Amino acid sequence: MKELRENVYWVGATDWKVRYFHGYELSTHRGSTYNSYLIKDEKTVLIDTVWEPLTDRFLENLSEVVDISKIDYVVMNHMEPDHSGALPTIMEYIPNATIIVSKKGVETIKGHYHKDWNLKVVSQGDKINIGKHDLTFIEAQMLHWPDSMFTYLSGENILFSNDAFGQHFASSEIFNDLVDETEVYQESLKYYANILTPFSKFVTKKIDQLKELNLPVEMIAPSHGIIWRKEPMQIVEKYYEWAQGKSEKSAVIIYNSMWGATHKMAEFIAKGLGEAGVEYKIFNTGTADRNDILAEVFKAKGVLLGSSTVNNGLLTSLMPLIEDLMGLKFINKVGAAFGSYGWSGESPKLLSDYLAKAKVEVIQEGLKAKYMPDDEELEQCIKFGKSFGEALLAKF
Ligand code: FEO
C-alpha cells in the first residue's frame, strides 16, 4: 500500500518478473504493475483491480487500508483481464456493491465474467458524489478498448486514466519524481508505439476534449507503472506529440540473412544513409526484440526491410514484425526493401508490397544482390542508402 493523498491509496500489485504481456506478444523488460486505487470518503471506492495471479498480493495491500467488505463502489475503467482479473474475488466479499462501468463496459464485463453483478452505467461527464469528493467519468473509447474510460477525483484533482499514460515499469517507488524518468519515457514510448498507435486519432481528440474540460490535474494515475505527480501534464503533451506521427530524421534497417549476404547489404546501405547525413539503427529480426524494433520504427522516418529469398518467399522471422507494421498503422513513414538471392529473388518485391500494405510510402525500387554481393554491388548498396537518405530528408 502507498498513499497518494490523505485517504487515497495505491493498492495494486507490482509484477517484477513478468517479461511478456498479451500472452507472449509484448515484451516487458522492466516488469510491470497493475495499479488499483482506493478512495476513502463517506463512500469507499475501489478503482480497477489487478491481474488474477496477483490477487493475494492485492488483497493484502487492500486489507492494510480498508475492511474489504466496506467497499461501496468498484469503478472498472476498463475490463481487460490485467485490470479485472481479481474482480470476481473482490465481489465475493462485496456481492451487493455497485460496479461502475462505461456503456461498452456492460458488454465487456458480462462477456468476461458472465455474472449478475449490480452495474451502474456512466457516460461522458456523469458525476457521482462520494462525500467530500465527486467522481467524474470521462469516456475514452479506443484508448485503447471500446470500454475504456477515465475517472477524475475532484478536490484531490487526480485523473485515473487506466492504460492511457501508463508504462510497463516495475518500481519500488510510485511517483515519477522518485524514479529514473529516462527509463519511464522509454517504456511510455514503447507502450504507445506498440499499443496505442492505431488509435492516435482518438488520442488527439480525447486530449482536445480533456483540455476543453479545463479540469485542474495535479496527478495522473494510470493502471500501469508510475504516477505522474511532478508536472503531470507532461505525459499528456507527449501523447499529443506522438499522436501527430512526427518522426526523427532517422531510419531503421530491419533484416534477416541466411549466410551473411543480406547482412552485408544492410551494413553498406547504412553507410549510404550515413553519407546522406541520416542517423540509423540496424536490427536483425532473429536476435532483436520485435517490440523494441517497433518502438524504433515509431520514432524514425524511414524503414528499410531486408530478407534473403527462400522458397520464393521471405525469412520467417520477419513476418511477425510485418504483421505488426500492418496492424499498428504508423503514419508518415517512407520505406524501401532489399535482399540477396540465389536463383529466384522475390524478396525485395514482396517486402515492398508489404510496406505498401502497411501504408509506408515506398520511395525506391527494391535492391537485389545475387549470392554474396561483390564490390560493385556493395557500391550500389551505398548509393541505394544514400539516395534513400536524401529522399527521406527532402520530406522534412
Ligand atoms: Fe492494461 Fe488494456 O489493459
Side-chain angles (χ1 to χ4, degrees):
M1 179 277 288
K2 308 246 179 176
E3 198 173 47
L4 276 70
R5 287 279 169 82
E6 194 180 357
N7 291 323
V8 183
Y9 305 91
W10 176 91
V11 289
T14 303
D15 195 342
W16 290 97
K17 74 177 194 309
V18 67
R19 288 296 179 267
Y20 289 98
F21 223 78
H22 290 157
Y24 290 89
E25 283 295 301
L26 176 69
S27 61
T28 52
H29 306 315
R30 292 184 169 103
S32 194
T33 69
Y34 314 99
N35 296 342
S36 169
Y37 302 96
L38 187 92
I39 304 163
K40 280 180 167 176
D41 200 333
E42 286 167 27
K43 298 287 184 188
T44 301
V45 181
L46 181 68
I47 298 183
D48 295 323
T49 74
V50 305
W51 189 36
E52 187 274 336
L54 282 89
T55 300
D56 288 350
R57 187 82 195 93
F58 172 53
L59 294 177
E60 282 169 30
N61 277 335
L62 201 46
S63 302
E64 282 178 29
V65 285
V66 75
D67 173 350
I68 298 175
S69 68
K70 302 286 189 236
I71 293 172
D72 300 289
Y73 293 119
V74 181
V75 177
M76 289 306 306
N77 278 328
H78 166 46
M79 286 302 297
E80 205 168 356
D82 49 331
H83 309 297
S84 66
L87 184 62
T89 304
I90 288 292
M91 293 312 290
E92 286 174 16
Y93 289 82
I94 46 170
N96 297 316
T98 300
I99 303 176
I100 298 172
V101 292
S102 65
K103 277 174 272 180
K104 284 286 180 186
V106 177
E107 179 187 323
T108 53
I109 198 167
K110 287 189 187 293
H112 277 92
Y113 297 104
H114 314 285
K115 299 280 190 191
D116 201 17
W117 292 320
N118 299 327
L119 302 183
K120 178 171 175 58
V121 182
V122 290
S123 303
Q124 174 75 9
D126 284 356
K127 278 186 177 25
I128 291 180
N129 178 264
I130 55 170
K132 288 184 197 149
H133 301 90
D134 287 333
L135 297 176
T136 304
F137 303 97
I138 300 164
E139 291 175 351
Q141 288 102 331
M142 306 319 295
L143 265 73
H144 67 125
W145 268 26
D147 67 352
S148 299
M149 68 173 182
F150 303 161
T151 299
Y152 177 77
L153 178 65
S154 63
E156 307 300 334
N157 303 336
I158 302 173
L159 183 71
F160 298 97
S161 60
N162 199 264
D163 284 323
F165 314 126
Q167 348 74 42
H168 290 304
F169 182 73
S171 165
S172 58
E173 300 291 347
I174 62 168
F175 295 113
N176 64 321
D177 49 301
L178 300 178
V179 298
D180 182 339
E181 278 206 359
T182 305
E183 288 186 293
V184 172
Y185 264 107
Q186 280 175 0
E187 293 302 334
S188 298
L189 182 140
K190 181 176 171 180
Y191 193 95
Y192 190 101
N194 281 275
I195 294 177
L196 284 157
T197 305
F199 311 115
S200 286
K201 282 187 181 153
F202 295 93
V203 171
T204 303
K205 202 170 141 197
K206 185 46 58 185
I207 292 175
D208 285 339
Q209 277 178 6
L210 256 184
K211 287 181 177 170
E212 279 165 23
L213 288 172
N214 218 9
L215 297 169
V217 175
E218 291 177 29
M219 274 189 212
I220 295 180
S223 58
H224 298 290
I226 58 87
I227 295 162
W228 302 90
R229 174 172 74 173
K230 187 183 93 187
E231 299 167 30
M233 292 304 281
Q234 63 177 293
I235 189 63
V236 178
E237 298 304 332
K238 195 48 91 173
Y239 260 49
Y240 200 84
E241 187 187 313
W242 289 337
Q244 311 316 307
K246 283 185 194 155
S247 305
E248 295 170 3
K249 291 177 181 174
S250 63
V252 182
I253 300 175
I254 305 159
Y255 77 98
N256 202 355
S257 182
M258 291 175 81
W259 291 105
T262 302
H263 169 83
K264 212 164 186 181
M265 291 180 80
E267 294 213 316
F268 279 76
I269 289 169
K271 276 191 187 190
L273 288 170
E275 285 183 13
V278 170
E279 191 196 333
Y280 59 84
K281 286 184 179 163
I282 307 177
F283 295 98
N284 182 305
T285 51
T287 57
D289 179 275
R290 190 180 90 261
N291 303 112
D292 291 344
I293 299 174
L294 289 163
E296 295 295 338
V297 172
F298 177 75
K299 288 192 282 184
K301 179 75 175 171
V303 50
L304 290 138
L305 296 182
S307 172
S308 328
T309 297
V310 61
N311 301 332
N312 306 110
L314 302 171
L315 294 179
T316 57
S317 71
L318 279 129
M319 297 315 292
L321 182 122
I322 287 170
E323 187 64 36
D324 269 330
L325 282 180
M326 292 192 292
L328 289 170
K329 302 182 177 68
F330 293 124
I331 54 173
N332 303 330
K333 306 287 180 202
V334 295
F338 62 95
S340 72
Y341 68 106
W343 49 97
S344 61
E346 288 91 342
S347 66
K349 168 79 170 65
L350 289 169
L351 289 170
S352 296
D353 289 348
Y354 277 126
L355 285 168
K357 276 188 196 166
K359 306 282 187 247
V360 173
E361 184 190 354
V362 179
I363 56 171
Q364 277 184 186
E365 198 176 320
L367 181 66
K368 285 187 206 181
K370 194 164 186 181
Y371 298 116
M372 193 58 74
D374 61 16
D375 287 348
E376 196 180 313
E377 286 168 314
L378 291 175
E379 199 52 46
Q380 280 175 9
C381 288
I382 294 174
K383 279 187 188 154
F384 182 85
K386 191 172 177 190
S387 62
F388 183 87
E390 288 166 350
L392 181 156
L393 292 176
K395 296 281 181 185
F396 284 88

